Amino acid sequence: MTHTLIYPVHANHTADGHLEVDGCDVVELAHTYGTPLFIYEEKTIRDQCRRFKDAFAACANDYEIIYASKALPIIAVFQLVEEEGLSLDVASGGEYHTALVAGFPTERIFYHGNNKTRWELEYALDNGVGTIVVDSMDEMDLLETLLAAAGRRQRVLLRVTPGIEAHTHDFIQTGQIDSKFGFGLAGGLARDAIERAMASPWLDLWGLHAHIGSQIFELGAFRSEISVLADLLKETREAFGFECRWLNAGGGLGIKYTADDTPATIQAYAEVKCRGLREEMARVDLPVPRILVEPGRSIVAKAGITAYTVGTVKKLPGIRTYVSVDGGMSDNIRPMLYEAEYEVMIANKVDHEPDTVVRVVGKHCESSDVLVKEARLVSPEPGDILVTPVTGAYCFAMASNYNGSCRPAVVMVNNGKARVVVERESLDDLVARQRPLRSES
Ligand SMILES: *Cc1c(COP(=O)(O)O)cnc(C)c1O
């Protein structure tokens, strides 16, 4: 390969200069299944699951790795991570339903969310949810009512807002005091929530959950988070005898989207968390709880790429060249939401050096529909298959029908074989749930 770009993990190139992922020619896949197309390497998803398990097995006595499904909530991936022994985190009734259809063991499901509705809670309770992560007093009221009616107890964790600010984009920070998530430490809310849950005949409080954000590069924030949680555990042990069996001092490991990103390794992430927990628990003289870890992005992001077809190349003399692809913000809204950056390459020209700087844009009716502001490409032309690597997390999951787009297909590749795991939406799908005012017959 001639470029210093980010490549799919099992990338190669064919004799005719096409990008290949795990033995499948990307140009052929694009022509067979159409574009935009999400292509995932099964091996990479499995490898990431194993790296998390190995890293925590090496430093923790008791741990549980939980796939945060919102990054890519599809049946095929739920089945893969289940086979790899991971548990599952869902954040809605819809994700819970997908997990049920995938046959995921419900005992290993954690149900999150700051506004779980009554039907969602009922659906999870009726279908054997293992753990509910309670986010507010109102939720506690509702949950207690439902459990009292059913006459049974439910394992819960409480989500606590630790007041730690991770260095990441504002929109993906979650641990700051001014947050819609969880019970704040400020004002004693978290302490009150623990006291109340312990007193409830219906809630079986097993521990705490915290989360400080996503795409985190500086591991030091985790130590601060654990330290703050340790203080809370000490205080509530002394005040009400609270015993924390499971602790999730959460926050997502950053991943490499572009050559400039330098994320920590999974091992370093595990070591900081394990050592932090051991030392902080020793400091407050409490037993070390099971450590829960919830990776989403770092399981699926680098396993996925998106393939597009170039439609137009518009040269504005003295300004710039716009290369338009047949997708955009309807299949990857992250550049517009978080100023996320991606690299890009032409799958049918990977054996040439890039010679042009262009702006890669989507086909939507918004000027903000820019996928890559400054892309170095090999003389882009209509018909080229353009690929953005590392689109495996939060791209398909956030896809929309904007401008009447049919959401893309998802293909999984493994050792030269490709399988469709999500069909492309059809034009009929687009209008299937619409009811006309007048019948045209
Ligand atoms: C989003 C989220 C995750 C996953 O975060 P990633 O950065 O994708 O690993 C885990 N836990 C909670 C509570 C989340 O909201």
Side-chain angles (χ1 to χ4, degrees), residues 23 40 64 97 110 132 220 229 250 266 333 365 369 384 389 420 423:
Y40 282 85
E64 185 167 353
H97 180 70
F110 291 75
I132 294 182
L229 292 171
I266 293 173
I333 200 161
C365 306
D369 184 27
D384 281 344
V420 174
E423 300 267 2

Side-chain angles (χ1 to χ4, degrees), residues 68 70-71 89 112 159 209 211 214-215 252 294-298 394:
K70 70 184 195 280
D89 138 5
H112 284 274
R159 172 137 180 189
H209 176 285
H211 193 258
S214 216
Q215 185 63 359
E294 270 172 351
R297 184 192 313 272
S298 47
Y394 304 108

